Amino acid sequence: MTKAEKVQFVINTLEKLYPETPIPLDHKDPYTLLIAVLLSAQSTDARVNTITPLLFEKADNPYDMVKLTVDEIREIIKPVGLSPMKSKGIHGLSEILIEKHNGQVPVNFEALEALPAVGHKTASVVMSQAFNIPAFPVDTHIHRLMYRWNLSNGKSVTQTEKDAKRLFPEDLWNKLHLQIIYYGREYSPARGWNIDKDIITKTIGRKSVLK
């Protein structure tokens, strides 16, 4: 198979398996999505979804969030891990949204990445899932699979993102990054991986992975 054929095989297989791609993190608007994505760093979406209702009950917008202290936020979000950094980030970015953006989440990468505790991946998720602007957020699943599928060298998430954007059509990015995540969780996990169930890697995987 040529590289173009491999890419098409990935697209076709994922479309068959995951014609629908619900957003894994529960939210109701760009602000609650931003907070949920920030909380999901080094945690699972399932765990975040158990904590966000408790937080959003007290504050689901920046104006209510800044009324809470950093310690109060930290107490609620403790179970998701990294709570000292995340609670400061949530409080700090809520202040900035009020001061600089009329309480709204900005619709551009530069402004998003300037917010405390918001990196490029978080900004990409918000742009893609809240505003439907083409982005390719690379998480651990996508990074692992792009390497296993021999579509990227696995050196860095920055390189993986560049390769994904170069190989896949832009109009598919927003759906495809979610399809790859769902596939990685179900068929190509980091641990307890059964290559026989992983049809994509079995078909196009790099030789060193298939040994």
Side-chain angles (χ1 to χ4, degrees), residues 2-3 6-7 15 35 49 81 94 122 138-139 146 159 181 184 204 207:
T2 64
K3 191 157 245 186
K6 288 177 177 181
V7 166
E15 190 54 39
I35 301 303
N49 286 340
S94 299
T122 298
V138 173
D139 75 340
M146 288 288 288
Q159 187 58 48
I181 290 168
I204 66 162
K207 288 193 175 74

mmCIF file of all heavy atoms in Angstrom, residues 2-3 6-7 15 35 49 81 94 122 138-139 146 159 181 184 204 207:
data_model
loop_
_atom_site.group_PDB
_atom_site.id
_atom_site.type_symbol
_atom_site.label_atom_id
_atom_site.label_comp_id
_atom_site.label_asym_id
_atom_site.label_seq_id
_atom_site.Cartn_x
_atom_site.Cartn_y
_atom_site.Cartn_z
ATOM 1 N N THR A 2 0.491 2.227 -0.810
ATOM 2 C CA THR A 2 1.186 3.519 -0.752
ATOM 3 C C THR A 2 0.735 4.251 0.516
ATOM 4 O O THR A 2 -0.262 3.888 1.137
ATOM 5 C CB THR A 2 0.821 4.404 -1.962
ATOM 6 O OG1 THR A 2 -0.584 4.700 -1.882
ATOM 7 C CG2 THR A 2 1.117 3.706 -3.279
ATOM 8 N N LYS A 3 1.454 5.332 0.854
ATOM 9 C CA LYS A 3 1.074 6.096 2.050
ATOM 10 C C LYS A 3 -0.342 6.657 1.893
ATOM 11 O O LYS A 3 -1.142 6.644 2.823
ATOM 12 C CB LYS A 3 2.079 7.211 2.314
ATOM 13 C CG LYS A 3 1.887 7.849 3.676
ATOM 14 C CD LYS A 3 3.145 8.537 4.185
ATOM 15 C CE LYS A 3 3.685 7.864 5.422
ATOM 16 N NZ LYS A 3 4.805 8.559 6.042
ATOM 17 N N LYS A 6 -2.800 3.987 2.561
ATOM 18 C CA LYS A 6 -2.861 3.708 4.010
ATOM 19 C C LYS A 6 -3.730 4.743 4.719
ATOM 20 O O LYS A 6 -4.547 4.405 5.576
ATOM 21 C CB LYS A 6 -1.448 3.717 4.622
ATOM 22 C CG LYS A 6 -0.613 2.515 4.228
ATOM 23 C CD LYS A 6 0.787 2.615 4.812
ATOM 24 C CE LYS A 6 1.592 1.373 4.484
ATOM 25 N NZ LYS A 6 2.948 1.423 5.041
ATOM 26 N N VAL A 7 -3.523 6.005 4.368
ATOM 27 C CA VAL A 7 -4.301 7.092 4.972
ATOM 28 C C VAL A 7 -5.792 6.884 4.671
ATOM 29 O O VAL A 7 -6.643 7.012 5.552
ATOM 30 C CB VAL A 7 -3.803 8.465 4.456
ATOM 31 C CG1 VAL A 7 -4.797 9.572 4.793
ATOM 32 C CG2 VAL A 7 -2.439 8.781 5.058
ATOM 33 N N GLU A 15 -14.393 5.542 9.857
ATOM 34 C CA GLU A 15 -15.749 6.020 9.524
ATOM 35 C C GLU A 15 -16.770 4.890 9.689
ATOM 36 O O GLU A 15 -17.890 5.113 10.144
ATOM 37 C CB GLU A 15 -15.757 6.578 8.095
ATOM 38 C CG GLU A 15 -17.022 7.328 7.715
ATOM 39 C CD GLU A 15 -17.406 8.464 8.670
ATOM 40 O OE1 GLU A 15 -16.533 9.200 9.161
ATOM 41 O OE2 GLU A 15 -18.616 8.608 8.942
ATOM 42 N N ILE A 35 -12.767 24.404 30.744
ATOM 43 C CA ILE A 35 -12.435 23.953 32.108
ATOM 44 C C ILE A 35 -12.292 22.424 32.143
ATOM 45 O O ILE A 35 -11.362 21.889 32.746
ATOM 46 C CB ILE A 35 -13.519 24.408 33.127
ATOM 47 C CG1 ILE A 35 -13.647 25.942 33.138
ATOM 48 C CG2 ILE A 35 -13.211 23.869 34.518
ATOM 49 C CD1 ILE A 35 -12.389 26.714 33.445
ATOM 50 N N ASN A 49 -15.591 13.812 34.155
ATOM 51 C CA ASN A 49 -17.052 13.930 34.049
ATOM 52 C C ASN A 49 -17.777 13.684 35.374
ATOM 53 O O ASN A 49 -18.942 14.043 35.520
ATOM 54 C CB ASN A 49 -17.594 12.968 32.979
ATOM 55 C CG ASN A 49 -17.283 13.450 31.573
ATOM 56 O OD1 ASN A 49 -17.012 14.627 31.361
ATOM 57 N ND2 ASN A 49 -17.316 12.538 30.610
ATOM 58 N N GLY A 81 -6.422 15.084 40.126
ATOM 59 C CA GLY A 81 -4.962 15.191 40.126
ATOM 60 C C GLY A 81 -4.472 16.560 39.663
ATOM 61 O O GLY A 81 -5.208 17.305 39.004
ATOM 62 N N SER A 94 -10.164 32.576 34.444
ATOM 63 C CA SER A 94 -11.498 33.179 34.580
ATOM 64 C C SER A 94 -11.379 34.696 34.770
ATOM 65 O O SER A 94 -12.144 35.472 34.188
ATOM 66 C CB SER A 94 -12.255 32.549 35.757
ATOM 67 O OG SER A 94 -12.419 31.154 35.538
ATOM 68 N N THR A 122 -4.894 21.856 24.643
ATOM 69 C CA THR A 122 -6.168 22.325 25.199
ATOM 70 C C THR A 122 -6.818 23.332 24.264
ATOM 71 O O THR A 122 -8.020 23.259 23.969
ATOM 72 C CB THR A 122 -5.945 22.956 26.594
ATOM 73 O OG1 THR A 122 -5.423 21.956 27.466
ATOM 74 C CG2 THR A 122 -7.226 23.502 27.192
ATOM 75 N N VAL A 138 -3.491 16.513 19.609
ATOM 76 C CA VAL A 138 -2.832 15.205 19.723
ATOM 77 C C VAL A 138 -2.738 14.810 21.193
ATOM 78 O O VAL A 138 -2.059 15.460 21.983
ATOM 79 C CB VAL A 138 -1.427 15.241 19.088
ATOM 80 C CG1 VAL A 138 -0.680 13.938 19.367
ATOM 81 C CG2 VAL A 138 -1.545 15.457 17.579
ATOM 82 N N ASP A 139 -3.452 13.744 21.560
ATOM 83 C CA ASP A 139 -3.330 13.201 22.922
ATOM 84 C C ASP A 139 -2.473 11.942 22.867
ATOM 85 O O ASP A 139 -1.917 11.596 21.824
ATOM 86 C CB ASP A 139 -4.724 12.927 23.531
ATOM 87 C CG ASP A 139 -5.362 11.676 22.943
ATOM 88 O OD1 ASP A 139 -4.947 11.235 21.844
ATOM 89 O OD2 ASP A 139 -6.273 11.121 23.575
ATOM 90 N N MET A 146 -0.419 7.023 15.656
ATOM 91 C CA MET A 146 0.284 7.550 14.466
ATOM 92 C C MET A 146 1.664 6.889 14.336
ATOM 93 O O MET A 146 2.147 6.672 13.227
ATOM 94 C CB MET A 146 0.417 9.078 14.562
ATOM 95 C CG MET A 146 -0.900 9.824 14.346
ATOM 96 S SD MET A 146 -1.478 9.818 12.622
ATOM 97 C CE MET A 146 -0.289 10.936 11.864
ATOM 98 N N GLN A 159 5.525 16.986 16.278
ATOM 99 C CA GLN A 159 5.766 16.338 14.987
ATOM 100 C C GLN A 159 4.549 15.504 14.571
ATOM 101 O O GLN A 159 4.148 15.514 13.406
ATOM 102 C CB GLN A 159 7.014 15.442 15.065
ATOM 103 C CG GLN A 159 7.426 14.857 13.719
ATOM 104 C CD GLN A 159 7.703 15.917 12.672
ATOM 105 O OE1 GLN A 159 8.410 16.881 12.924
ATOM 106 N NE2 GLN A 159 7.121 15.767 11.489
ATOM 107 N N ILE A 181 -9.031 8.610 18.783
ATOM 108 C CA ILE A 181 -9.039 8.424 20.244
ATOM 109 C C ILE A 181 -9.941 7.248 20.626
ATOM 110 O O ILE A 181 -9.552 6.371 21.407
ATOM 111 C CB ILE A 181 -9.505 9.716 20.957
ATOM 112 C CG1 ILE A 181 -8.434 10.807 20.829
ATOM 113 C CG2 ILE A 181 -9.803 9.449 22.441
ATOM 114 C CD1 ILE A 181 -8.900 12.202 21.234
ATOM 115 N N GLY A 184 -8.247 4.038 19.585
ATOM 116 C CA GLY A 184 -7.112 3.725 20.464
ATOM 117 C C GLY A 184 -7.557 3.108 21.776
ATOM 118 O O GLY A 184 -6.971 2.135 22.259
ATOM 119 N N ILE A 204 -1.577 -1.973 8.388
ATOM 120 C CA ILE A 204 -0.613 -0.977 7.890
ATOM 121 C C ILE A 204 0.517 -0.663 8.883
ATOM 122 O O ILE A 204 1.332 0.214 8.637
ATOM 123 C CB ILE A 204 -1.319 0.357 7.525
ATOM 124 C CG1 ILE A 204 -1.908 1.034 8.779
ATOM 125 C CG2 ILE A 204 -2.383 0.152 6.466
ATOM 126 C CD1 ILE A 204 -2.213 2.508 8.582
ATOM 127 N N LYS A 207 6.781 -2.255 10.752
ATOM 128 C CA LYS A 207 7.278 -3.638 10.903
ATOM 129 C C LYS A 207 7.741 -3.933 12.342
ATOM 130 O O LYS A 207 7.483 -4.988 12.876
ATOM 131 C CB LYS A 207 8.414 -3.888 9.930
ATOM 132 C CG LYS A 207 7.939 -3.993 8.482
ATOM 133 C CD LYS A 207 9.037 -4.564 7.587
ATOM 134 C CE LYS A 207 8.528 -4.782 6.165
ATOM 135 N NZ LYS A 207 8.372 -3.496 5.419
#
